[in-house]
Each structure stands twice: as structure tokens, then as C-alpha cells.
Amino acid sequence: MRAAFAGTPEFARVALDAMLAAGIEVPLVLTQPDRPAGRGMKLQASPVKQCALAHGLPVAQPRSLRLDGKYPDEAAVGRAALEQAAPDVLVVAAYGLILPQWVLDLPPRGCVNIHGSLLPRWRGAAPIHRAIEAGDAQTGITIMQMDAGLDTGPMLLAEPLAIAAEDTTATLHDRLAALGARLVVDALGRLESLPPVPQPEAGANYASKIEKAEGTIAWTLPAAVIERRVRAFDPFPGCSFTLGGETFKLWRAAVLPGAGEPGTVLAAGEGRLVVACGEGALELLELQRTGGRRVPVREFLKGHPVVAGQRAA
């Protein structure tokens, strides 16, 4: 089994590492171009590229694979690299580029995707975030045969995973990455014998990309909705609000009974900070000021006195 690999972030890196540990031959790795990162905005290789280079694997980083798109020369280089690698199958995990038909057709055994949900629920770019935001009790991993649609191909393997009440996108991501790595190694080991199962249309929905603006807290929403968003948007983009003219990020909260004008501080002091919401109230447990670090609310209140009746926005 020669399995080329296409992926970019840590979620994909975990799968690539598992494939290599299982002895699967990886003749080529496709990943996104290096991006500026950190305070110095220096170019940084993706986690997948770092893993590939550490194992001496060939790497290609075209900005597009569409031969008729904006970067046809880079797409042509990517195509030449794939043709030279001659993989039996292409494994795709959070790659970040849409695969044109020529890529889907190139490997004899097609392209296999590791998707972070139980399809057809949460097709699209942000299945982990959206599952937490929606209050789902479980999610999972689906190994699917890719087609021209967006996460619409037939399913090869799937395994559920419970979402804990305290899960953030960060914690759930790590468990799903490990599960995806295990399942894709399993799938590759018996690819010829796994029957492709068409996805049902019932229950299909779309996990749209997370936009930074979604992190602004609207206190008119129910407290339970805000609390789920706090967990769903951790680590990115975080949930923010203003109080006393300064902007803060909220990283942990708890839903409480309570009533008041949304955004009004109902209780402050003795290590507690409670804000009224459109339905119920939210106890703020972990906060961060701009340029600071995350701190428990007790520590936060020592440097930022708050009184009942103040309004958060």
C-alpha cells in the first residue's frame, strides 16, 4: 500500500505519524505553503510538513491544485509530483484545498478523507466547533471515500465519541485526532474489503468556517448558548466582551439561574462575577485581558474591581 498524504494542521499530523508508525509507505506529502506566524511573523512550516521532513518524506506545497485556476504552474508541479509518486490511495485530512477531479481520479483506490464528525452531520470546515456550539452529546470520526461534493462521499468506517460537558474545541480536537489516526490505519489495512456505504440525506447539515466576529458575546442570548460558544471557540477565536471600557476574553463559564437586563453584572466580589443573559445568567470563571494571560476570576478581580450593576457589552 502506497498512500500519499494531504494535510496541514496538527489534526492531520497525528494521522500521518500513525500511518508511518504502522509501516505504511508514504511516497509524497502535500501540505499548505508555509505561513507567517508568531510575533515576528516569520514563515512557519505546517505541523504536517514538519513531520514529513523529520521522516525524510518528499513534500509539495502548491497554493492550488486546479490546473485552470489562479496558480496553474503550481498546480502542474503538484500534479507532476503526484504522478511521480504513483500512490495507490491519497489520504486527506484537513488539507485546506479543494481537490479537483483529476486528483480524485489519479490514485487507483481513490482518495480517502478523515472527517471530524459522524457524517452526514457537520459536513464542512468546522465540524468540531459546531458540534460543541450546537450542544451535541456526541460526535466522532468518519473515514469516507471522497467524491466531487463537499464531504458527501460514501462512508468506509465511522466511530462515535462522546462530547463531555467541559469539552472545548481544543480538548475534543485531540481525542478526535487520535481516533482519526487509529481509524485511517485500520481502513488502509483492509481497504479492499470495506464496503462503501452511501451517506443518508436525512440529518445532513453544514459546519461553516469559524469567523472571528462570532466570538463577540451577545448577552441577549441564553446563558447556555453563550457557555457552549465559549467552549466551542477555544482556542480560536475566543469569546470577548467589554466592561468598563476595556475588552476581555472569557475562556470558562458556568450557567446559573438568574434574571436581569442582559449584560448587567448581578454579583461581583468574593471571587465571583455573574452576568445576566437573555435567559439565565453566566458565572465568569476564567478571563484574560488584552496582552495578558488566562487567569481565574478571583485573580482577575484583584486587578480589575467590578461592582454589581455595571454593564458588559
Side-chain angles (χ1 to χ4, degrees), residues 180-199:
R182 175 169 62 79
L183 287 187
V184 79
V185 169
D186 181 13
L188 291 174
R190 52 194 182 103
L191 197 56
E192 291 183 347
S193 63
L194 287 175
V197 178
Q199 292 186 36

Side-chain angles (χ1 to χ4, degrees), residues 20-149:
L20 294 169
I24 295 168
E25 183 181 358
V26 180
L28 176 68
V29 171
L30 295 168
T31 191
Q32 288 276 321
D34 298 358
R35 306 289 190 200
R39 292 191 175 182
M41 295 302 285
K42 294 181 179 179
L43 288 178
Q44 183 171 315
S46 72
V48 163
K49 180 180 179 180
Q50 294 177 42
C51 177
L53 295 180
H55 288 86
L57 303 177
V59 175
Q61 297 176 269
R63 284 178 287 181
S64 172
L65 290 169
R66 295 186 62 88
L67 298 169
D68 58 351
K70 189 176 180 181
Y71 306 104
D73 292 344
E74 294 188 32
V77 170
R79 179 167 188 164
L82 268 172
E83 289 175 343
Q84 183 177 2
D88 299 307
V89 65
L90 174 64
V91 174
V92 182
Y95 180 29
L97 292 182
I98 294 175
L99 301 188
Q101 193 62 45
W102 73 260
V103 178
L104 299 175
D105 294 340
L106 191 146
R109 298 185 185 177
C111 299
V112 171
N113 179 246
I114 308 169
H115 188 75
S117 78
L118 295 176
L119 292 170
R121 185 161 176 80
W122 301 126
R123 295 169 176 168
I128 302 175
H129 307 73
R130 299 304 183 190
I132 293 176
E133 183 186 17
D136 290 359
Q138 70 170 12
T139 182
I141 289 289
T142 304
I143 307 296
M144 54 163 280
Q145 194 83 45
M146 297 180 72
D147 61 13

Side-chain angles (χ1 to χ4, degrees), residues 193-242:
S193 63
L194 287 175
V197 178
Q199 292 186 36
E201 282 307 313
N205 64 348
Y206 180 66
S208 58
K209 180 181 177 182
I210 303 298
E211 301 294 341
K212 192 172 182 180
E214 293 183 69
T216 301
I217 295 176
W219 296 104
T220 52
L221 292 172
V225 172
I226 298 173
E227 190 275 337
R228 292 199 302 265
R229 287 188 175 181
V230 168
R231 292 185 290 112
F233 299 162
D234 180 358
F236 176 85
C239 281
S240 60
F241 66 97
T242 59

